[in-house]
C-alpha cells in the first residue's frame, strides 16, 4: 500500500537583481519512493517542473549547508522567520529559491511518521521489482 504526504508551499525565486518572484510549489513524499522527496514547481503556464533528491539531504539542509552537484540547501535565520534556501542547477539553467523553514520542517516530520528514518528499505519490494524486470512485466 502506497501512502503519500504532500504540502503546498509558497517559495520565492531569487532573481540576479536580488528581487524575488513568488513561485507555487508542492512537496511530495511517497512510501513507494521512500528515500526521495519531490518538489513540483508550478509556473504560470505549462506542466510543473519536478526536482527529486534525497530525504536525508533535505533533513541535513534544514540544519546546515548541505549538498553536492545540482542541489544545495542551507538554513538562515531562526524561529518562525527562518528560511530554507535551495539552489538548483541543471544543463538548462539554475535557480535559487527560498521557503519558510518551519513549514518544510513540519512536512518532513510528517514523512517520518509515514516512514521512519532508517526504515526506508523496508518499504521496497526488491524481489517483486526484480521479478518484473526479469519477466518483462510491469
Amino acid at each position: 500500500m502506497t501512502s503519500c504526504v504532500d504540502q503546498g508551499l509558497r517559495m520565492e525565486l531569487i532573481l540576479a537583481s536580488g528581487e524575488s518572484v513568488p513561485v507555487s510549489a508542492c512537496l511530495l513524499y511517497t512510501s513507494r519512493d521512500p528515500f526521495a522527496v519531490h518538489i513540483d514547481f508550478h509556473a504560470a503556464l505549462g506542466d510543473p517542473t519536478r526536482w527529486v533528491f534525497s530525504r536525508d539531504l533535505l533533513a541535513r539542509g534544514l540544519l546546515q549547508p548541505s549538498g553536492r552537484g545540482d542541489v544545495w540547501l542551507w538554513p538562515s535565520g531562526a524561529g518562525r522567520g527562518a528560511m530554507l534556501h535551495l539552489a538548483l542547477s541543471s544543463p538548462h539553467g539554475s535557480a535559487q529559491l527560498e521557503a519558510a523553514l518551519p513549514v518544510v520542517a513540519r512536512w518532513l516530520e510528517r514523512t517520518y511518521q509515514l516512514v521512519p528514518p532508517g526504515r526506508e528499505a523496508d518499504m521496497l519490494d526488491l524481489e517483486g521489482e526484480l521479478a518484473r524486470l526479469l519477466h518483462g512485466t510491469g
Side-chain angles (χ1 to χ4, degrees):
M1 178 175 131
T2 301
S3 297
C4 71
V5 177
D6 62 356
Q7 171 74 50
L9 181 67
R10 179 191 159 139
M11 299 186 81
E12 296 289 328
L13 174 65
I14 309 303
L15 304 176
S17 66
E19 296 179 79
S20 64
V21 176
V23 175
S24 295
C26 183
L27 299 168
L28 177 68
Y29 178 81
T30 175
S31 61
R32 186 174 184 152
D33 191 5
F35 289 100
V37 295
H38 303 245
I39 302 179
D40 288 342
F41 298 99
H42 301 276
L45 299 172
D47 294 329
T49 301
R50 176 169 281 184
W51 278 78
V52 180
F53 54 92
S54 149
R55 182 169 72 158
D56 288 344
L57 173 60
L58 178 60
R60 283 191 308 274
L62 292 173
L63 303 173
Q64 63 189 26
S66 302
R68 181 182 309 168
D70 58 353
V71 178
W72 288 85
L73 302 131
W74 65 96
S76 69
R80 291 181 7 185
M83 299 300 288
L84 175 65
H85 302 266
L86 174 63
L88 304 171
S89 64
S90 79
H92 305 289
S94 61
Q96 183 177 335
L97 300 114
E98 295 178 344
L101 189 144
V103 173
V104 178
R106 282 192 302 271
W107 174 79
L108 184 63
E109 282 301 316
R110 290 175 46 217
T111 75
Y112 291 149
Q113 292 170 8
L114 182 61
V115 179
R119 303 294 306 267
E120 294 89 352
D122 297 347
M123 304 305 294
L124 300 175
D125 178 14
L126 296 178
E127 289 182 23
E129 290 297 321
L130 183 58
R132 282 188 282 284
L133 285 171
L134 293 175
H135 300 292
T137 61

